[in-house]
Amino acid sequence: MNPHLAPVAVPDPALLPHVQQLCDLTDPYASGPAEDELFAAAMAETNAWHADRSPFFRSLYEATPPAEPYRTPLVHANFFKRHEVLSVPREDVELHLTSSGTTGQKSQMFFDHWTIRSAQRMVARIFDRHGWITPDQEVNYLLYSYEPAPSLNLGTAFTDNYLCDFAPARSVAYALRNTGGDHEFDPFGCIAALRRFEREDAPVRILGFPAFLFFTLERMRAMGLPPLRLPEGSLVVLGGGWKGHSDRRIGKEELYARVTEQLGIPAERIRDTFGSVEHCIPYIECDHHRLHAPVWSRVTIRSTRTLEPLPYGEPGYLHLVSPYITSVPAQSVVMGDLASLQPGEACGCELGTPWFTVHGRAGVSRNRSCAVAAAELMKGMA
């Protein structure tokens, strides 16, 4: 068995049997009454788990009306920027990740063995479904994220480096180079890596912030460089958004067209993602470039005025729910993103689960995400 798909056990099988069963589902996009019933049972178990172990969550849970779906309190992602809350002993914390860059408020998220391995296995199941786990095929990586450093514990860096496990690395190049205490965007290094990769016979995997990729393509065009043709089987998986550089953001379709034009990677091999350190469920575009909810989560859009659930098509706060997490009471997180939800059949792809579109951040905030911090590195570089 592929090690990324290997079994992993919940902390207490007697208390969390349905959580185990849900997270063991192998089809990432299974849907139907049986899956809905299993999800509700798993949510009841994880709510009880956190209510017994977190006074913070217990007080919220007791005040939540039973009519609320899954009777799950709404916790805004910004809460984790100001508070550390755990539902496991600190000695059971296997991984500590943050959401932001070198300055500004950071979400502090803690993961026990089950939580982080379960989330990683979800990513692996989706990659496996797309045929993107290739243990016998070396690839060259260009990571539009942070080069590792001893004190670096950013969630985006952790995720991008984990994605390198799905195909053996012939070489790895980083866009954000570690300068010994800070990181600097290196567009010329990215261009040199891409030109070198074109001459080799290994596919290329480009992972990370889309803004950095766009600025690289812009620099290539400004330098008058001819289009590249990266080897067949190359793949682009983006994540992190354009926060901090929305004034220079181009549409997704235009970005994908530029990647195809300048790097020779077809649109079906370019996918965007959505995720956060507060909610590690992977949302990865289908071949129609829609973000479908996997079987392990449910997505609701909430009114920005009343927080009531909104019907399909109406924009509001993105509310993400999953029972997978046992380390922190973050099974129901209201994000700072505005989004709208559509039924699965409105996509036209083979997946049947609902999908959402992210329209941007809600309001103006002084909080900075890791994408904002990364974007600041590009000042003067484009």
Side-chain angles (χ1 to χ4, degrees):
M1 173 182 290
N2 188 296
H4 302 291
L5 302 174
V8 58
V10 293
D12 191 325
L15 295 178
L16 302 167
H18 294 97
V19 173
Q20 180 78 67
Q21 187 179 347
L22 178 73
C23 294
D24 282 346
L25 293 177
T26 59
D27 182 353
Y29 301 102
S31 61
E35 286 78 15
D36 290 340
E37 183 178 346
L38 176 58
F39 189 90
M43 284 302 303
E45 289 174 357
T46 202
N47 285 339
W49 172 272
H50 291 294
D52 286 344
R53 290 162 177 78
S54 168
F56 157 75
F57 180 78
R58 182 166 58 249
S59 64
L60 290 180
Y61 184 68
E62 291 174 348
T64 301
E68 179 69 28
Y70 311 117
R71 198 185 171 185
T72 302
L74 306 180
V75 180
H76 198 280
N78 282 350
F79 172 84
F80 300 104
K81 297 182 184 295
R82 303 177 183 275
H83 304 276
E84 295 183 8
V85 289
L86 290 170
S87 297
V88 296
R90 192 166 288 270
E91 58 266 25
D92 289 347
V93 172
E94 187 169 294
L95 183 68
H96 170 215
L97 296 176
T98 67
S99 63
S100 66
T102 54
T103 62
Q105 294 171 313
K106 306 177 184 182
S107 288
Q108 305 291 327
M109 295 301 294
F110 304 87
F111 303 90
D112 56 6
H113 180 75
W114 155 261
T115 300
I116 192 60
R117 278 290 298 117
S118 179
Q120 289 177 322
R121 188 171 59 162
M122 294 173 191
V123 177
R125 290 204 189 284
I126 295 176
F127 267 60
D128 187 51
R129 190 183 194 281
H130 289 301
W132 298 341
I133 298 181
T134 58
D136 299 323
Q137 172 66 68
E138 285 189 340
V139 304
N140 287 313
Y141 288 97
L142 174 55
L143 302 187
Y144 281 97
S145 60
Y146 298 86
E147 185 175 15
S151 60
L152 186 68
N153 60 349
L154 295 175
T156 51
F158 178 83
T159 299
D160 288 338
N161 281 286
Y162 172 68
L163 296 183
C164 292
D165 289 345
F166 295 140
R170 177 175 294 186
S171 67
V172 180
Y174 288 89
L176 297 181
R177 302 303 306 275
N178 176 23
T179 60
D182 206 347
H183 285 80
E184 291 184 2
F185 176 44
D186 181 14
F188 297 108
C190 294
I191 294 171
L194 289 169
R195 298 181 73 181
R196 183 174 71 253
F197 294 163
E198 183 191 33
R199 298 191 296 269
E200 300 187 13
D201 59 357
V204 179
R205 294 199 175 185
I206 299 173
L207 312 173
F209 297 117
F212 286 107
L213 174 57
F214 171 64
F215 274 83
T216 301
L217 298 176
E218 285 284 271
R219 183 58 59 92
M220 289 173 60
R221 180 172 285 182
M223 294 170 62
L225 297 178
L228 304 178
R229 289 296 175 264
L230 297 181
E232 185 177 355
S234 294
L235 176 69
V236 177
V237 180
L238 303 172
W242 292 66
K243 308 175 189 73
H245 274 269
S246 58
D247 58 327
R248 303 195 63 181
R249 178 174 183 163
I250 64 173
K252 183 168 61 177
E253 294 79 8
E254 183 179 353
L255 175 62
Y256 292 1
R258 289 283 298 274
V259 172
T260 299
E261 173 194 348
Q262 293 185 254
L263 302 181
I265 301 176
E268 63 268 19
R269 301 285 294 180
I270 308 169
R271 307 292 177 95
D272 199 6
T273 67
F274 181 88
S276 72
V277 73
E278 300 92 355
H279 177 88
C280 290
I281 302 296
Y283 300 89
I284 300 176
E285 285 185 341
C286 67
D287 55 9
H288 289 195
H289 301 294
R290 269 68 179 263
L291 295 165
H292 289 260
V295 67
W296 313 291
S297 78
R298 297 294 183 270
V299 178
T300 304
I301 304 300
R302 299 270 176 178
S303 167
T304 56
R305 293 188 301 107
T306 67
L307 293 180
E308 291 297 313
L310 295 176
Y312 287 130
E314 292 195 21
Y317 290 127
L318 182 63
H319 176 209
L320 305 173
V321 176
S322 176
Y324 84 106
I325 186 167
T326 54
S327 53
V328 174
Q331 70 272 37
S332 170
V333 180
V334 178
M335 307 301 298
D337 301 274
L338 291 176
S340 57
L341 190 67
Q342 300 289 347
E345 57 268 22
C347 178
C349 76
E350 62 180 6
L351 307 183
T353 62
W355 52 275
F356 62 92
T357 300
V358 177
H359 303 296
R361 300 291 286 180
V364 178
S365 171
R366 291 162 59 188
N367 295 334
R368 299 167 60 242
S369 73
C370 49
V372 173
E376 289 179 354
L377 300 175
M378 292 190 286
K379 291 180 178 178
M381 301 298 294

